[in-house]
Every structure is written in structure tokens, then in C-alpha cells.
Amino acid sequence: MPKRIGFLYEKVIDPDSCASAVREMTKGKHKNRRAMIMRENAVLYGKNLANDLASGRWVPAPYKEHTVKDGTHKKERRIKVPCLRDQAVHHAIMRVTTPYIECRNYFYNCGSLPGAGQISATRAMRRWMSGHKVMKYCVQLDIRHFYENCPHWAVLQALERIFKDKRFLDMHRRILASMGEGLAIGFYPSQWYANLVLMWVDFRIKQKIVPECHYVRYMDDMCILGNNKRKLHRARDAIASALAALGMTLKRNHRLFKIGLGGVQFLSYRFFKGYTLLKKELMYRISRGIRRASVTKTLHRALSAISYVGLLKHCDSYNFRLARVYPLIKINRLRRFISHENRAGRIAGSLQGRCDRQPGANHLL
């Protein structure tokens, strides 16, 4: 067993580290008056937070919950939002934890990691599908309700493989207990816990089962390209049995197929040998979003339009942009509009925070 890391509790309760955690937590929350006050007094709030953690006075508060419809299929997701104080604690703990997770991460794990994301997975798939020797077969796997069914003991077991500081592990245990069942979508540590649980799956596939394959994972979506059909079946069965030991299952739509004229559909794109197309339902959604942004310009629609244009840059969509994007919107104008609206929001939030500030506002923490 490799050497585990200790003496991390002292780093978490350091006042300077807690002040940096408060700044990270309040970044982008320009419309939240309490967050703006905490950001302007980050040193004071960081010191109070460090004292609460060191003395054991921190107790997780109840979270707020709401439902959103995500993606092109409008899938309902329950979002759990902790209070600002708990968010600052999460950032303070994960500032110390994440460097040790990142250095052990599989290179093509592209979900919810700094410097990675959907674009990194897309570039890898385009490179593998445009080479001289394209793999013959593909396996696509997806875990059913991964966040809701991920057991806490599996997360703690994965943490104990890396860390040995008992007080530091107890902090993670209290965060997990505050989430309820599974991993809470909306909690900052959840994405790191999810990658930590599935990290061993990545190395088992690449080191033991199919070392010569091309494998990319985006959170709980897995795509494996290989030439040996028998080994790909073995990899799928091994993943299914390992998930069953954790109380989780694969979705029924998992499949193993031969890469032919139909290509590989992964994330937002369809990958073929030598070129990449956008998924049809996403193409229709982008067309509607661009048209709405051209008719009524709001900050939300402008941000959506810029995001859609970014997706189009990573596939062969020149004709689509020429017909449905460039005649309707001007990218530079949208960027100037977004910059102006964000600046106005920051100024308004700062002024409102100064008006509402009172001496001794430490009750926010």
C-alpha cells in the first residue's frame, strides 16, 4: 500500500487558507449581498471560520433544495444548495484535498476537473477517430443515477487510501453526512468525491483489462475504443460487477458495437472517421437559442449564444454557422453586451453591500 498523507488538518484551519477559501467561494456571486460583504472582509471571515473549525463549533446547516431541468432531454435534477458558511468550509477543506486527487487522476478523465471538461474529451475522440488506424469496436457505458446511489462508505474508503489524518477525514465524514443519501448535486465536494470513487475503474481498465484501448470518461459516461471484442466484453462485465458491489448498476442502454458508417455518438457530438458532427437535437436547440438571442437580447440569452458558438467551433459546422449563426448575431457585440451587464451587476452589488453593511456583521458566519 503506498504511503498515505498526514498532517493536513493544520493546513485546513490556517486563517490565510480560510480567507482564500472565502474569496474562492464568493467569486461570481455579484448579486448576493452577503457574499459581497464576505468577499470584502475575507480576512476577518477567514479568521472566524478557522476558529470555528479548530474549536469544533462548525455544524453543517440544513440546505435548500430545488429542481431544474437539464440538457436537451430536460432531465430533472434535484439541486441542494448549502448556506454560504458551509460553502466556505467546503472550499477550505477541498483546497487542501484536491491537489492529491489531481495528481492521481487518469489523464482522460475529463469531468469537473480544472483544465479539463467536455472540450478535452472531444479533442481526444477527434484525434483517435482521425488517425490512420481507427479502432474497430466501441463500448459506451453510463452509470444509472450515480450521484443518488453512490454510497458514503465508498467515498470514505477511497479517501482513506490517500489520507491518514483522522481529524481531516472526520471533516469529510461530516460533509458527507450533511448531504443525505448519495452525493448531493450542488455541493462543491461532490464532483471530487465522484471522480475519487471511479478513479480505480480508470486504472483497472488501462492497466489490467484492455491496456491497448482508447478510453475516455466524462463523470459517469464512459467510452472505450478497442480492436479486441472479447476484451471489451470482459471490461464491461468487470465494471458491472464492481459497481454491483457498491450497490450501483449500469444503464440498460449500454452497448458494444462495431464502428462503421454510423460513427460514435458521445457527449454532444457524433464522431466519424475524419470528421465530427453535432448531435441533431442539440443542433435544433442551438438554432432556437441563436434566433431568440437575435430577437430579444438579455444577459442569459447572450451567454447561451456565446456558449453555443463555442460548441460549434469543435466540430465541422461551417455551413451551419454560415446559415444559422452569422446572419443573426454578431459575436463581438454580444461579448461587449455581456461585459457591460456584468460590470453593471458588480457595481450594483458592491453599492448595495456597502449600504447594508453593519459593524459586527460576523453573524453571517
Side-chain angles (χ1 to χ4, degrees):
M1 185 175 180
K3 188 176 180 180
R4 297 185 297 167
I5 297 97
F7 302 102
L8 298 177
Y9 177 77
E10 292 77 12
K11 296 182 180 179
V12 175
I13 62 176
D14 179 56
D16 294 334
S17 179
C18 290
S20 300
V22 171
R23 295 188 190 97
E24 290 178 5
M25 182 273 297
T26 56
K27 186 177 181 181
K29 295 181 173 65
H30 306 302
K31 296 182 180 180
N32 192 318
R33 290 177 290 180
R34 290 189 175 185
M36 293 300 295
I37 296 173
M38 293 174 66
R39 185 173 182 83
E40 292 179 3
N41 301 275
V43 176
L44 175 62
Y45 285 110
K47 184 178 180 180
N48 294 336
L49 187 64
N51 292 334
D52 290 346
L53 291 175
S55 61
R57 289 195 302 266
W58 172 66
V59 178
Y63 53 79
K64 295 181 180 179
E65 188 173 354
H66 62 274
T67 305
V68 298
K69 294 184 178 180
D70 183 37
T72 56
H73 299 288
K74 301 297 180 181
K75 183 179 179 181
E76 289 192 356
R77 299 187 185 276
R78 292 186 301 168
I79 308 299
K80 301 177 181 179
V81 184
C83 66
L84 291 177
R85 179 172 179 265
D86 288 353
Q87 291 182 39
V89 173
H90 297 170
H91 278 266
I93 296 174
M94 298 311 296
R95 286 187 84 253
V96 181
T97 308
T98 53
Y100 300 101
I101 299 178
E102 285 188 82
C103 68
R104 291 165 172 78
N105 180 55
Y106 171 59
F107 185 78
Y108 290 111
N109 171 25
C110 303
S112 300
L113 290 171
Q118 182 175 337
I119 301 305
S120 298
T122 302
R123 288 174 179 170
M125 288 293 295
R126 293 191 71 176
R127 183 168 63 253
W128 295 335
M129 293 295 292
S130 61
H132 296 290
K133 295 183 179 180
V134 179
M135 297 292 185
K136 294 181 180 180
Y137 302 99
C138 174
V139 177
Q140 289 184 296
L141 308 171
D142 191 3
I143 303 175
R144 184 176 182 273
H145 297 303
F146 174 70
Y147 273 85
E148 292 85 347
N149 297 328
C150 184
H152 292 175
W153 62 265
V155 179
L156 292 172
Q157 193 177 63
L159 287 169
E160 288 173 355
R161 293 194 191 104
I162 304 175
F163 309 108
K164 63 180 179 180
D165 192 326
K166 294 183 178 179
R167 291 181 295 180
F168 180 72
L169 291 171
D170 184 64
M171 287 184 171
H172 285 285
R173 192 175 291 107
R174 295 168 71 182
I175 293 176
L176 287 168
S178 67
M179 294 182 182
E181 294 184 2
L183 300 179
I185 302 177
F187 277 55
Y188 175 61
S190 294
Q191 58 194 18
W192 293 98
Y193 292 158
N195 283 320
L196 194 60
V197 171
L198 296 177
M199 188 182 296
W200 63 272
V201 177
D202 305 332
F203 291 104
R204 187 175 181 184
I205 291 174
K206 286 297 295 181
Q207 293 180 2
K208 295 183 178 180
I209 303 178
V210 199
E212 69 278 1
C213 72
H214 294 319
Y215 168 62
V216 62
R217 179 170 65 82
Y218 186 82
M219 293 312 293
D220 59 341
D221 293 339
M222 309 173 189
C223 185
I224 311 174
L225 306 178
N227 289 323
N228 193 318
K229 193 174 182 180
R230 185 178 300 172
K231 289 185 178 181
L232 293 179
H233 275 296
R234 193 184 307 161
R236 183 186 61 186
D237 296 339
I239 293 172
S241 61
L243 291 175
L246 298 176
M248 294 182 287
T249 59
L250 293 172
K251 285 185 179 180
R252 293 183 179 180
N253 60 355
H254 65 82
R255 56 186 185 137
L256 191 155
F257 58 94
K258 186 174 183 179
I259 301 174
L261 298 178
V264 178
Q265 184 170 305
F266 186 63
L267 298 178
S268 302
Y269 303 96
R270 291 185 296 158
F271 300 94
F272 301 88
K273 185 176 181 180
Y275 64 98
T276 305
L277 299 179
L278 202 65
K279 288 174 62 175
K280 186 177 292 185
E281 54 267 28
L282 183 58
M283 180 185 66
Y284 291 144
R285 184 180 180 182
I286 290 176
S287 182
R288 289 193 298 269
I290 295 294
R291 188 169 61 251
R292 290 169 182 168
S294 65
V295 174
T296 306
K297 189 185 297 184
T298 63
L299 180 60
H300 176 73
R301 291 183 177 180
L303 289 170
S304 298
I306 293 295
S307 177
Y308 290 150
V309 173
L311 286 175
L312 293 172
K313 288 182 179 179
H314 297 278
C315 64
D316 299 284
S317 59
Y318 176 75
N319 292 333
F320 178 79
R321 284 181 282 171
L322 203 63
R324 301 294 181 90
V325 179
Y326 297 145
L328 299 178
I329 61 172
K330 303 297 181 183
I331 307 301
N332 291 333
R333 290 183 182 178
L334 285 181
R335 287 175 178 169
R336 287 196 294 268
F337 174 76
I338 293 170
S339 178
H340 176 268
E341 291 294 318
N342 287 334
R343 191 184 306 113
R346 287 194 297 270
I347 294 173
S350 178
L351 293 176
Q352 188 66 34
R354 291 175 184 175
C355 294
D356 294 344
R357 190 186 301 114
Q358 299 176 0
N362 301 340
H363 64 279
L364 295 179
L365 275 180

